[in-house]
Amino acid sequence: WTLARRLSVLFVALLTLVVAVIGASAYVGVREAASVRSSERLESVAREIAAGASRGVVSRVNRMLALARDSTIRVALRAASGGQVDSRVNEFDALGTVAERNAALHAHREALDSLFARRRTAADSTLLGWHVLSEAGTRLHGAPLARRDSLELAATAAAAVRTDAVVHSALYSSESQIRLFAAAPVKDGDRIIGVIAVNRRIAGSDSLEGAIKRLSGQNASVAFASRGSEEWSSIRGQLTSSPLGERGLDQLLDTGTVRFDDGDGEPFYASSAAVTGAPWLIVLTEGEASIMARPRALLNELLMIAVTVLLLGTIGAWWLSRLETRPLAELRKAADAMASGDYTRVVIPKGAEETAALAEAFNTMSMRISGVHATLAAQNQELMRANEAKARFLAIMSHELRTPLNAIGGYAELMALGVHGPTSEEQRHALERIARSKDQLLHLVSDILSYARLEATPLAVARESVPVMAQFESVRETVADQFARKGVQLVVTPTDATLCADPVRVQQILVNLVTNALQFTLGGGRVDVYAEVEGDLTTLFVRDTGVGIEPDQQHTIFEPFVQVDNTLTRRSGGAGLGLAIVRQLATAMGGEVRMESTPGVGSTFAVSLPCAELAPCEPTDELPSFMAASL
């Protein structure tokens, strides 16, 4: 994931988040606004339709009341009930025969037919017929009715007589039509003598339906219902199922617009309004899918805009990130070249101000490093030549010093043996001091020669199984005389441990450590040599009861040419190379050296090397001759 890719992804992610948040907020806002607007529109249209129907009801009620006061109807009802036509003449009392009586009723019916015919207009297509009933419910005038019509007429007429008011029936279905009755009481003074009723049907029209849809919405539907009735009518006057499903009108009345679920996961909104003066309700419903069509169209537009913006933003982000990160890529290549040793690469400042400043700073750093590197390379060459000269000088001097020292030692031994004549006791003691001084000088020369060769030539070691006890015995034989002369006890603890190491180098390490311990241990002291196996390592320990090492000198004890007693009056000799050689040899064989010391108590040196049982190794070729000679 390069910086250019990360910048592109980050920019696109942020842009996507912004577009998504804005789109979601806009969609939610439009959705809520559409829901509120649709609810208000449904309520408004329902009230408009109900108000229009109410005005029609009031107009028809007034006409019915005027008709109920017509003398023709009152006279016919009086005649049917045997009452007087006026206060002076009793028509039916004057008629003595049944035939005369029936003829009089027929004349009244003809008068009623003429009256209703005059009242009916050609435009009134919903009128089915007028009916006149006596107070007892006997029908005096009107066409024959179906059973459902008769039941509704009787109930409506009885309600009009009971309430002494105009009564409208609930909507009901008869002969594939939705019909209704309106009944008004007919009075003779203060007494109700009958009822006049009108039977109508619901009949819609294309213009009415179109006007309602324009007001309420293209997918809104209108239905008519009645309180207390389960029958519903469409706007065309046809029997239809309830748009509310199994829900009753009680959930809709006096609650404004209600959101319902039709059971199939398709919500819809419903609103109702009551027709004043009648038990009828206007119910408008519209599906949520229709209401949310505009928000969804807006969402689709937003999605298209978002996709376009994201596409353009992705291309722009990629181009900008490439433009801004290309100088960084060139800077990285220059840094890689510098890491490979090429300090001549120059970066051309490009891009933003910060990137250009970084390129200039890199060029300045490159030039300075190039100059410093050239100086260091020259100085390193000088140091290498000086180090080689030093190593050659030490090797030559050490080699040249061996010959006269060996001659001094040889002549001293010959003189001590009396080859050149008898010697006195004092002379023998002087010759012994000469021999000891010769041995000390040879040991010093050997250390310097070994260190010089280790410094000048890469150290190679053999890998083979080395019994630790055999090394201990060899060391004891080598240094036994020295320990005896000084009166120091050498204790070797038997062990079965083995090492995966170079036996010659192990021997050299032990000799250096043991002689070093002897050098700093006073007569009557003790030096212990033992081994312990710790995991996959075998540790060789050399512990003495010598003078110990001060804490401030312990961290430099393994450095070359460092002596614990570095004063001019020190009693111990040496160049301070023994422990440095021990550390180099142990590291070359994959081990380590550590030390613990307490002043006045003694010191313990530990060399940890791989264990042969856990790290099997095969013998290798013999070491080069110069390494063996360094011993």
Side-chain angles (χ1 to χ4, degrees):
W1 282 84
T2 61
L3 181 60
R5 184 175 298 177
R6 290 183 179 182
L7 289 176
S8 300
V9 172
L10 178 62
F11 183 81
V12 172
L14 291 176
L15 188 60
T16 303
L17 180 62
V18 170
V19 171
V21 170
I22 294 176
S25 301
Y27 176 72
V28 170
V30 173
R31 179 187 177 93
E32 292 178 355
S35 176
V36 172
R37 190 164 56 250
S38 176
S39 300
E40 294 175 350
R41 186 178 65 251
L42 290 177
E43 294 176 11
S44 175
V45 173
R47 288 193 296 268
E48 288 281 343
I49 297 175
S54 298
R55 288 192 295 271
V57 168
V58 171
S59 175
R60 287 171 179 169
V61 166
N62 292 332
R63 289 199 300 268
M64 287 189 67
L65 290 175
L67 190 62
R69 291 190 293 270
D70 192 280
S71 60
T72 304
I73 297 177
R74 290 203 308 272
V75 169
L77 286 173
R78 289 191 193 122
S81 60
Q84 294 180 350
V85 175
D86 55 38
S87 58
R88 293 172 299 164
V89 180
N90 188 331
E91 179 181 359
F92 287 99
D93 288 343
L95 298 176
T97 65
V98 174
E100 292 174 344
R101 190 180 178 94
N102 290 337
L105 289 174
H106 181 70
H108 287 301
R109 289 191 180 96
E110 289 181 349
L112 290 174
D113 288 339
S114 176
L115 173 64
F116 292 139
R118 292 194 306 270
R119 292 283 183 176
R120 182 165 189 168
T121 63
D124 192 1
S125 61
T126 62
L127 179 64
L128 296 177
W130 293 90
H131 300 272
V132 179
L133 289 82
S134 66
E135 180 185 5
T138 303
R139 194 152 56 92
L140 178 63
H141 178 272
L145 297 174
R147 175 176 176 77
R148 180 65 187 276
D149 294 320
S150 298
L151 293 175
E152 292 293 337
L153 175 60
T156 306
V161 172
R162 185 174 62 253
T163 60
D164 190 14
V166 178
V167 176
H168 294 82
S169 71
L171 301 177
Y172 68 93
S173 62
S174 177
E175 298 180 357
S176 301
Q177 293 179 341
I178 298 298
R179 299 178 178 180
L180 58 93
F181 271 103
V186 179
K187 292 185 177 182
D188 186 10
D190 294 333
R191 186 174 68 87
I192 297 175
I193 61 175
V195 174
I196 179 175
V198 61
N199 188 208
R200 293 183 177 277
R201 66 183 178 89
I202 301 296
S205 64
D206 293 339
S207 59
L208 176 62
E209 187 173 5
I212 292 175
K213 284 189 175 297
R214 283 193 300 274
L215 292 173
S216 60
Q218 292 298 321
N219 294 305
S221 60
V222 184
F224 304 113
S226 305
R227 291 185 177 92
S229 175
E230 296 182 356
E231 292 182 294
W232 288 74
S233 171
S234 67
I235 195 172
R236 292 279 186 173
Q238 298 172 346
L239 183 65
T240 184
S241 59
S242 171
L244 304 180
E246 297 179 356
R247 306 167 190 82
L249 284 172
D250 295 339
Q251 300 183 41
L252 190 60
L253 295 176
D254 301 326
T255 57
T257 303
V258 181
R259 183 179 182 273
F260 292 104
D261 192 337
D262 64 358
D264 295 330
E266 294 293 337
F268 65 92
Y269 290 81
S271 183
S272 67
V275 177
T276 303
W280 310 323
L281 296 172
I282 310 298
V283 179
L284 268 74
T285 59
E286 185 174 7
E288 190 176 57
S290 174
I291 296 174
M292 299 305 164
R294 179 56 186 166
R296 288 195 179 95
L298 175 62
L299 179 61
N300 292 333
E301 293 177 3
L302 290 176
L303 287 176
M304 294 300 297
I305 295 173
V307 170
T308 304
V309 171
L310 287 177
L311 181 60
L312 296 176
T314 301
I315 296 174
W318 177 83
W319 181 77
L320 287 175
S321 61
R322 292 281 295 176
L323 183 64
E324 292 299 325
T325 58
R326 187 178 294 114
L328 295 178
E330 296 178 359
L331 191 61
R332 186 191 65 183
K333 293 179 180 178
D336 293 339
M338 180 183 294
S340 301
D342 182 8
Y343 300 100
T344 60
R345 182 72 67 90
V346 176
V347 180
I348 300 175
K350 291 187 296 185
E353 181 180 355
E354 295 82 358
T355 307
L358 180 61
E360 292 177 355
F362 179 84
N363 292 333
T364 302
M365 179 187 67
S366 178
M367 288 187 293
R368 291 182 178 179
I369 292 178
S370 178
V372 172
H373 183 268
T375 302
L376 290 176
Q379 293 178 351
N380 188 49
Q381 291 294 330
E382 292 295 331
L383 290 174
M384 290 178 63
R385 286 193 291 268
N387 189 51
E388 290 176 359
K390 179 199 72 173
R392 287 195 301 271
F393 171 76
L394 291 175
I396 293 172
M397 290 303 297
S398 299
H399 180 72
E400 293 298 329
L401 287 173
R402 281 177 180 270
T403 301
L405 287 175
N406 287 328
I408 292 171
Y411 282 111
E413 290 179 5
L414 292 175
M415 292 176 66
L417 293 174
V419 174
H420 297 286
T423 56
S424 63
E425 188 68 25
E426 292 79 3
Q427 290 173 338
R428 281 196 298 272
H429 286 305
L431 291 173
E432 288 177 359
R433 285 195 296 271
I434 292 173
R436 285 196 299 270
S437 297
K438 181 269 300 183
D439 292 337
Q440 187 176 358
L441 284 173
L442 281 177
H443 180 70
L444 179 60
V445 170
S446 296
D447 284 348
I448 294 175
L449 183 60
S450 297
Y451 183 76
R453 286 176 174 172
L454 290 175
E455 284 280 305
T457 308
L459 183 61
V461 295
R463 298 284 183 182
E464 57 182 85
S465 180
V466 179
V468 175
M469 194 60 198
Q471 295 293 318
F472 285 174
E473 292 294 342
S474 177
V475 171
R476 180 160 55 183
E477 293 176 1
T478 302
V479 300
D481 293 340
Q482 300 177 39
F483 273 79
R485 285 196 300 269
K486 193 170 184 180
V488 176
Q489 184 181 4
L490 177 61
V491 179
V492 177
T493 303
T495 180
D496 296 330
T498 57
L499 300 172
C500 180
D502 187 330
V504 176
R505 300 305 182 184
V506 174
Q507 183 76 9
Q508 187 176 357
I509 289 173
L510 288 173
V511 169
N512 281 347
L513 292 178
V514 171
T515 54
N516 193 66
L518 175 63
Q519 184 178 1
F520 292 97
T521 302
L522 302 177
R526 173 173 172 167
V527 176
D528 290 284
V529 180
Y530 57 97
E532 292 181 0
V533 178
E534 303 171 355
D536 58 350
L537 296 176
T538 297
T539 304
L540 309 180
F541 292 92
V542 177
R543 184 174 60 198
D544 62 62
T545 58
V547 297
I549 304 172
E550 294 296 331
D552 58 344
Q553 295 178 325
Q554 292 181 9
H555 66 283
T556 61
I557 195 65
F558 290 101
E559 297 298 326
F561 304 106
V562 174
Q563 286 278 12
V564 174
D565 183 8
N566 55 9
T567 62
L568 296 176
T569 59
R570 67 174 186 259
R571 289 186 238 176
S572 60
L577 295 172
L579 293 179
I581 294 173
V582 168
R583 184 175 65 177
Q584 285 186 333
L585 294 176
T587 303
M589 291 186 290
E592 63 176 357
V593 182
R594 60 184 182 274
M595 178 269 297
E596 295 178 0
S597 181
T598 303
V601 177
S603 304
T604 301
F605 289 84
V607 180
S608 298
L609 296 171
C611 183
E613 288 83 357
L614 300 177
C617 53
E618 298 295 334
T620 60
D621 296 336
E622 294 184 359
L623 290 176
S625 58
F626 73 88
M627 291 189 176
S630 66
L631 295 175

